[in-house]
């Protein structure tokens, strides 16, 4: 495919008009302001459109599409214990497959081509991801409330099976990460063992850290350490780690994350909806931490609208600091694209650059709410809507275009997820 006469955001997030972008197989082969002589096949007329890097969701629980709108207006601990955990206890492999597929459809609708996922029954998730054509950093969350040897847990065996069967499957579309759910759902020995396992396999880590004040202070009471200090001392950050939320970081936490190269996946909509708080994004950026954006699960969001997530990220930071100059549009766009790709170990993704993977979204910018254009980056973060995405391409393949899902039977997917939800509710 070749995009012609299209506005684009280049690898440095600069706006360029009347550009040509040529795609061969899964890569960007040409970017220029003239039609190339090489034949690229299908031509896409970009008049009134903008091409940019697709989005990378740095923290998700994709099967939780099945819990959208279930368990509302509750604090996190009550929400988990009274609503989420009982519902999840009823999930089977079919539920997980269809719930994940629904999330992949919603993701591509909103321009997300890759998610960093944490859940269970992960074989079904991997199958859904591969069927959809998107990408995923998939991890089986380890939970060990008691003192049981973690290596005796079925979840531990699941990690090894996932790694063997799916790591780098689909020409690298699926990557298997390690996951410690959180400090409050495990114990120090579990953290040590799982951290060593990640080092042994040479894979990334995914963990919740300091999401709520209750979690943060309870960790300090148990261990005389913050969650960031606790995981660091147990070796968790010795591999590339994505730490979700990080709302209640304090003191040397910021320096630890910066020094260890930890990515913070901020989830502004979920954190505000659950009244967990607002992460100190300006200080994280000041410290040089790679800050990416996550949606969390749609059970606490309640959608995967990533443009909305960028706007909330920037606005929440301004409110938190009482300073309208913090988190500029370019920083929000970087967090949604390159920072997310970097957190997933996808170094050839996240920017429109020759040689990079052709992960491209097209937005219709010829709409009333996108005019006039004093600054396109400002319009993209504050004026645009997820519904402006009209094309989503991953690895050079168009997955969504103008309401059509190229790889997913959307009617069947919605039917199956509704059926799963009704069955589970009848069993509770």
């Amino acid at each position: 495919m070749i995009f012609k006469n299209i506005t684009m955001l280049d690898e440095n997030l600069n706006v360029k008009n009347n550009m040509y972008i040529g795609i061969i197989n899964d890569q960007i082969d040409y970017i220029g302001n003239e039609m190339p002589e090489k034949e690229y096949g299908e031509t896409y007329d970009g008049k009134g459109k903008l091409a940019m890097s697709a989005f990378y969701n740095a923290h998700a629980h994709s099967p939780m599409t099945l819990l959208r709108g279930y368990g509302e207006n509750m604090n996190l601990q009550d929400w988990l214990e009274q609503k989420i955990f009982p519902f999840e206890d009823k999930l089977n492999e079919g539920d997980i497959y269809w719930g994940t597929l629904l999330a992949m459809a919603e993701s591509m609708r909103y321009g997300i081509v890759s998610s960093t996922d944490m859940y269970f029954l992960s074989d079904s998730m991997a199958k859904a991801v591969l069927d959809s054509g998107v990408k995923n950093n998939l991890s089986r969350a380890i939970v060990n409330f008691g003192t049981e040897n973690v290596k005796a847990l079925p979840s531990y065996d699941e990690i090894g099976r996932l790694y063997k069967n799916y790591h780098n499957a689909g020409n690298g579309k699926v990557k298997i990460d390690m996951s410690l759910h959180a400090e409050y759902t495990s114990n120090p020995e579990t953290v040590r063992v799982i951290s060593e396992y990640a080092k042994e396999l040479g894979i990334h880590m995914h963990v919740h850290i300091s999401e709520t004040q209750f979690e943060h202070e309870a960790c300090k009471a148990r261990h005389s350490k913050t969650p960031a200090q606790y995981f660091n001392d147990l070796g968790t950050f010795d591999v590339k780690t994505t730490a979700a939320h990080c709302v209640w970081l304090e003191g040397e936490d910021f320096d630890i994350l910066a020094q260890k190269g930890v990515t913070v996946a901020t989830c502004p909509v979920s954190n505000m909806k659950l009244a967990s708080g607002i992460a100190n994004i300006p200080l994280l950026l000041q410290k040089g931490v790679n800050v990416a954006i996550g949606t969390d699960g749609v059970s606490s969001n309640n959608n995967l609208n990533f443009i909305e997530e960028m706007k909330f990220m920037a606005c929440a930071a301004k409110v938190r600091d009482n300073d309208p100059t913090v988190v500029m549009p370019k920083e929000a766009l970087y967090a949604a694209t390159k920072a997310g790709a970097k957190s997933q170990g996808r170094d050839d993704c996240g920017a429109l650059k020759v040689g990079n993977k052709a992960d491209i979204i097209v937005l219709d910018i010829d709409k009333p709410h996108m005019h006039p254009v004093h600054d396109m980056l400002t319009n993209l973060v504050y004026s645009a809507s997820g519904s402006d995405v009209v094309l989503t391409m991953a690895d050079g393949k168009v997955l969504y275009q103008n309401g059509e899902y190229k790889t997913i039977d959307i009617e069947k997917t919605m039917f199956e997820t509704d059926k799963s939800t009704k069955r589970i509710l009848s069993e509770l």
Side-chain angles (χ1 to χ4, degrees), residues 98-139:
W98 290 111
T100 302
L101 202 62
L102 183 65
M104 299 304 102
E106 186 177 354
S107 292
M108 60 180 71
R109 173 65 186 90
Y110 288 133
I112 300 167
V113 297
S114 189
S115 299
T116 301
D117 248 311
M118 177 195 293
Y119 217 60
F120 56 93
L121 295 178
S122 304
D123 295 76
S124 295
M125 295 180 67
K127 291 171 186 173
V129 169
L130 292 169
D131 286 348
S132 72
V134 298
K135 309 177 188 186
N136 199 287
N137 279 46
L138 183 60
S139 63

Side-chain angles (χ1 to χ4, degrees), residues 98-251:
W98 290 111
T100 302
L101 202 62
L102 183 65
M104 299 304 102
E106 186 177 354
S107 292
M108 60 180 71
R109 173 65 186 90
Y110 288 133
I112 300 167
V113 297
S114 189
S115 299
T116 301
D117 248 311
M118 177 195 293
Y119 217 60
F120 56 93
L121 295 178
S122 304
D123 295 76
S124 295
M125 295 180 67
K127 291 171 186 173
V129 169
L130 292 169
D131 286 348
S132 72
V134 298
K135 309 177 188 186
N136 199 287
N137 279 46
L138 183 60
S139 63
R140 203 295 181 201
I142 294 295
V143 173
N144 188 9
F145 288 104
T147 57
E148 188 174 357
N149 181 353
V150 65
K151 292 185 178 181
L153 297 174
S155 54
Y156 186 88
D157 291 336
E158 187 177 336
I159 295 168
R161 186 177 69 250
L162 276 173
Y163 179 80
K164 179 181 177 181
N165 294 337
Y166 292 107
H167 189 53
N168 289 322
N171 196 30
K173 279 186 165 64
V174 174
K175 296 180 182 295
I176 301 303
D177 291 351
M178 198 68 70
S179 176
L180 288 156
H181 178 266
E183 175 274 329
Y184 64 92
T185 52
S186 61
N187 54 55
E189 182 60 21
T190 295
V191 175
R192 271 192 290 267
V193 170
I194 296 302
S195 299
E196 284 296 326
Y197 199 9
K199 282 187 272 190
E200 177 187 330
L201 295 179
I203 58 178
H204 289 196
M205 179 66 77
H206 188 187
V207 61
H208 293 103
I209 288 183
S210 298
E211 181 175 0
T212 67
Q213 186 176 22
F214 176 83
E215 169 205 337
H216 185 83
E217 294 300 328
C219 178
K220 287 163 63 177
R222 277 189 290 269
H223 307 291
S224 299
K225 299 174 183 178
T226 66
Q229 293 167 336
Y230 171 79
F231 283 113
N232 184 51
D233 289 348
L234 291 169
T236 302
F237 301 154
D238 291 347
V239 297
K240 289 294 185 183
T241 298
T242 294
H245 304 296
C246 295
V247 174
W248 290 91
L249 301 178
E250 61 174 297

Side-chain angles (χ1 to χ4, degrees), residues 216-334:
H216 185 83
E217 294 300 328
C219 178
K220 287 163 63 177
R222 277 189 290 269
H223 307 291
S224 299
K225 299 174 183 178
T226 66
Q229 293 167 336
Y230 171 79
F231 283 113
N232 184 51
D233 289 348
L234 291 169
T236 302
F237 301 154
D238 291 347
V239 297
K240 289 294 185 183
T241 298
T242 294
H245 304 296
C246 295
V247 174
W248 290 91
L249 301 178
E250 61 174 297
E252 68 175 16
D253 291 351
F254 296 90
D255 293 317
I256 289 172
L257 300 185
Q259 290 163 8
K260 289 291 188 174
V262 174
T263 291
V264 169
T266 184
C267 304
V269 173
S270 176
N271 292 157
M272 284 189 281
K273 186 166 181 286
L274 290 169
S276 299
I278 299 171
N280 192 342
I281 302 302
L283 182 55
L284 285 164
L285 293 173
Q286 180 185 324
K287 294 286 187 177
V289 174
N290 186 54
V291 176
I293 298 174
T295 57
D296 211 0
V298 300
S299 50
S300 62
N301 189 300
N302 291 29
N303 62 43
L304 301 177
N305 186 340
F306 223 64
I307 291 177
E308 178 180 85
E309 209 74 42
M310 283 195 295
K311 182 173 183 176
F312 272 77
M313 174 199 179
C315 290
K318 296 174 191 298
V319 169
R320 185 192 184 283
D321 282 21
N322 194 27
D323 183 354
T325 68
V326 299
V327 184
M328 304 301 283
K330 196 168 190 175
E331 292 171 316
L333 283 159
Y334 182 87

Side-chain angles (χ1 to χ4, degrees), residues 7 17 47-50 363-376 378-380 382-385 388:
T7 300
N17 297 313
K47 183 180 179 182
K49 307 290 196 302
L50 178 139
L363 284 74
D364 184 351
I365 55 173
D366 192 20
K367 291 184 174 181
H369 64 276
M370 294 296 283
H371 286 269
V373 182
H374 297 291
D375 177 76
M376 180 58 75
T378 295
N379 278 17
L380 289 172
Y382 295 117
S383 303
S385 167
D388 295 334

